[in-house]
Amino acid sequence: MKKEQLDNSRRNFLKMAALGGAALGMATVPGLANAAGLVTSDESNDQVGKINQSGKLHAAKGKSVMGLACKPIKTVRIGLIGIGMRGSGAVTRLMQIEGVEFKAFCDLVPGNVKNANKTLVKAGFKEAAEYTAEGDWKKVCERDDIDLIYTCTPWYLHTPIAVYAMKHGKHAATEVPAAMTLSECWQLVDTAEETQRHCMMLENCCYDFFELATLNMVRNDVFGDIYHAEGAYNHDLRELKFNKNGYYHMWRLEYSKKHTGNLYPTHGLGPIAQIMGINRSDRFESLTSSSTKQYGLSLYAKEHFGANSPEYLQEYKLGDVNNSVIHTAKGKTILLQHNTTSPQPYSRIHRIMGTKGLAVKYPDPLIAINPSPDEFLKKADFDALMKKYEHPLATQIGEKAKKVGGHGGMDFIMDYRLIYCLRNGLPLDQSVYDAAAWSSIVELSELSVNNKSAAVQVPDFTRGVWQNTKPLPIVSLD
């Protein structure tokens, strides 16, 4: 992306955020939904308070896409937008999946596009068309020889590209989060329903091996009724945020300057949302969130750039640790944590608790179940349980996934499953409702933090369809 486009996008984003903040300063607790854009500013607090689980104040523009199955696509023709850190890896993975053809590469860094085509040619593929000018992503979406737009851009372009792609008849797959505001969440849902196109957020952590296994265990009642879960994105990103050659034009640091709350919720949230049947028999209902003050970015800046440096004197709004508690319609809870500015080992926690026991992934995978739920299983018993409940996707393509790579193989399983579903006309494992609900935590957490941890309502993006939808089954490639 060119600097002028980045600056314009950033100014527009911050302008919207500032307007939202001004409204928040005068909002009552029920009125937080109003500030979030769920209703217009001239609606009364009484109307705001009546926003219900079915989302009736946000009228549907088309029929539900829950369980959407589209016509099978023999060869999935891909336009890939954004070929930086994530996009370049996607090229390497996708080209190793049968039934894939690359039609267009788009990035404002010409070298990224050239390198992607070199990768294709070396593997025996035809070169993709190259787009490197400002706004070229629209031209890619407008092409009539593309079935899937695969997006790996900075966050603020995820929704605009996905919406534009669907409106031009394409299926959309986007990196995480799929949206940064509630308004964008609704744009994704409305457009998917209106166009009857798939919109999948590429939440790769749903396809990690332990997460897949625990999903299988839950579906087989190993842990009993699941009533609480914990997830996180705890990852020290300070070096990368301050690296001028890291995130393009340091866009991720810009969010840390202007926003607080949980900016990146879906890695920890996605797998446990699937386990708990969110949007499929249950849904997020409300959220409370709190953040510590900011220490880590300033300390890092002082140590690496000096006490008189612009980096140290800059104000950063992102609190080091954010804790959000999500309550579901069926009385279950989720504790979600975000911390990208503290010295710490990487962790997504992935802790699920049920009436018969629990499982936790970090720092080491452990399971405790009846008849001795007060102690963790010994290694031999743990290994036997993991083997018994290995997810079919891990059994079928796990070894190839480990060889191809991408966070230990989970990225490849995700891509393989996406292409498999499109080629076979099957519903996707992650729907647009998941993309919206999981991404909504970004703005909702900030709303709550900025209002002294006041409870905020989570919209029902399914408009009530969750009540009659079964939880995600244990899928396979058979």
Side-chain angles (χ1 to χ4, degrees):
M1 172 174 291
K2 290 182 178 179
K3 186 176 187 301
E4 312 92 81
Q5 184 183 18
L6 178 81
D7 291 341
N8 287 336
S9 298
R10 186 179 299 151
R11 280 195 293 269
N12 290 338
F13 180 86
L14 297 179
K15 181 179 179 181
M16 292 172 63
L19 290 173
L24 284 172
M26 299 181 289
T28 63
V29 173
L32 289 177
N34 188 33
L38 291 178
V39 292
T40 58
S41 59
D42 58 351
E43 290 176 310
S44 68
N45 283 338
D46 181 61
Q47 287 176 301
V48 172
K50 290 180 179 178
I51 294 176
N52 57 27
Q53 286 80 357
S54 65
K56 290 180 179 178
L57 291 184
H58 196 94
K61 297 182 179 180
K63 66 180 182 179
S64 173
V65 291
M66 185 71 77
L68 175 67
C70 295
K71 183 180 178 180
I73 305 171
K74 183 178 181 180
T75 300
V76 180
R77 301 167 298 176
I78 299 175
L80 202 154
I81 301 173
I83 314 179
M85 287 184 285
R86 291 295 292 159
S88 58
V91 174
T92 302
R93 299 189 307 270
L94 286 163
M95 71 182 191
Q96 300 187 59
I97 301 173
E98 182 181 359
V100 165
E101 183 178 347
F102 292 94
K103 287 295 184 179
F105 288 145
C106 180
D107 196 292
L108 288 172
V109 179
N112 290 347
V113 174
K114 293 293 184 185
N115 288 335
N117 262 330
K118 288 179 182 178
T119 300
L120 283 190
V121 172
K122 186 177 181 180
F125 285 78
K126 293 181 181 179
E127 285 191 348
E130 298 183 353
Y131 293 83
T132 59
E134 182 177 338
D136 267 0
W137 60 266
K138 290 186 177 181
K139 295 180 181 179
V140 175
C141 293
E142 292 165 0
R143 289 178 62 122
D144 59 8
D145 61 347
I146 288 176
D147 305 299
L148 173 68
I149 295 295
Y150 195 111
T151 303
C152 302
T153 64
W155 296 339
Y156 51 82
L157 282 173
H158 290 178
T159 294
I161 293 175
V163 167
Y164 199 77
M166 287 187 283
K167 286 185 176 181
H168 285 82
K170 314 302 188 289
H171 299 299
T174 182
E175 273 293 342
V176 303
M180 299 304 290
T181 67
L182 295 180
S183 175
E184 287 188 336
C185 290
W186 279 118
Q187 289 177 48
L188 292 175
V189 170
D190 290 344
T191 306
E193 292 180 342
E194 188 175 9
T195 63
Q196 295 294 295
R197 296 291 88 188
H198 288 299
C199 180
M200 174 180 169
M201 181 170 63
L202 296 164
E203 184 39 75
N204 54 348
C205 295
C206 291
Y207 297 90
D208 208 354
F209 293 87
F210 189 75
E211 282 85 337
L212 286 172
T214 50
L215 174 63
N216 198 11
M217 291 178 196
V218 169
R219 294 295 181 264
N220 284 278
D221 198 38
V222 172
F223 302 111
D225 293 331
I226 306 301
Y227 57 85
H228 177 75
E230 299 173 19
Y233 186 70
N234 292 331
H235 190 187
D236 188 356
L237 295 177
R238 290 175 297 171
E239 181 179 357
L240 193 54
K241 286 185 180 185
F242 281 108
N243 185 346
K244 294 181 180 179
N245 296 315
Y247 299 111
Y248 190 75
H249 283 306
M250 304 175 75
W251 62 263
R252 197 158 184 167
L253 185 64
E254 291 301 311
Y255 278 91
S256 298
K257 293 177 182 178
K258 304 299 181 183
H259 295 279
T260 188
N262 189 328
L263 293 179
Y264 202 63
T266 71
H267 281 342
L269 183 59
I272 57 181
Q274 288 189 332
I275 282 173
M276 298 179 79
I278 300 302
N279 291 333
R280 296 168 169 264
S281 76
D282 200 356
R283 78 170 190 90
F284 301 150
E285 192 171 67
S286 64
L287 170 148
T288 57
S289 187
S290 61
S291 291
T292 67
K293 67 177 293 186
Q294 185 279 131
Y295 296 92
L297 289 171
S298 293
L299 289 173
Y300 185 94
K302 183 177 183 180
E303 179 179 349
H304 290 83
F305 304 106
N308 295 318
S309 66
E311 290 86 353
Y312 176 66
L313 298 175
Q314 169 70 48
E315 177 186 1
Y316 303 99
K317 290 188 177 180
L318 182 66
D320 283 2
V321 179
N322 174 267
N323 285 295
S324 298
V325 177
I326 303 169
H327 298 259
T328 78
K330 292 193 172 180
K332 303 176 181 181
T333 56
I334 298 171
L335 174 61
L336 193 63
Q337 193 170 89
H338 177 272
N339 184 348
T340 59
T341 56
S342 300
Q344 62 187 308
Y346 179 89
S347 173
R348 298 195 303 272
I349 299 178
H350 190 69
R351 181 184 182 94
I352 54 175
M353 299 186 67
T355 55
K356 296 181 181 178
L358 66 87
V360 61
K361 183 173 182 177
Y362 294 90
D364 296 301
L366 296 169
I367 292 175
I369 54 173
N370 287 332
S372 300
D374 58 339
E375 61 181 31
F376 290 109
L377 295 177
K378 305 297 186 208
K379 185 178 186 308
D381 294 329
F382 174 88
D383 291 343
L385 193 69
M386 290 293 292
K387 183 177 181 179
K388 179 178 179 180
Y389 291 104
E390 182 178 55
H391 195 284
L393 294 181
T395 302
Q396 292 162 339
I397 57 172
E399 289 306 312
K400 181 176 182 179
K402 292 175 183 178
K403 293 177 182 178
V404 173
H407 292 96
M410 64 182 178
D411 293 6
F412 180 77
I413 296 176
M414 172 189 69
D415 288 333
Y416 194 101
R417 177 66 183 167
L418 168 61
I419 300 302
Y420 179 87
C421 290
L422 292 176
R423 296 188 70 210
N424 289 276
L426 299 173
L428 304 187
D429 303 335
Q430 299 174 41
S431 71
V432 69
Y433 305 113
D434 299 321
W438 304 352
S439 300
S440 72
I441 305 307
V442 174
E443 184 173 14
L444 290 172
S445 63
E446 185 168 26
L447 290 173
S448 181
V449 169
N450 286 339
N451 283 266
K452 299 182 179 180
S453 302
V456 293
Q457 183 183 17
V458 183
D460 176 12
F461 294 102
T462 76
R463 299 183 178 92
V465 175
W466 65 271
Q467 298 175 77
N468 298 308
T469 304
K470 294 181 179 180
L472 181 72
I474 301 303
V475 298
S476 72
L477 303 175
D478 295 332

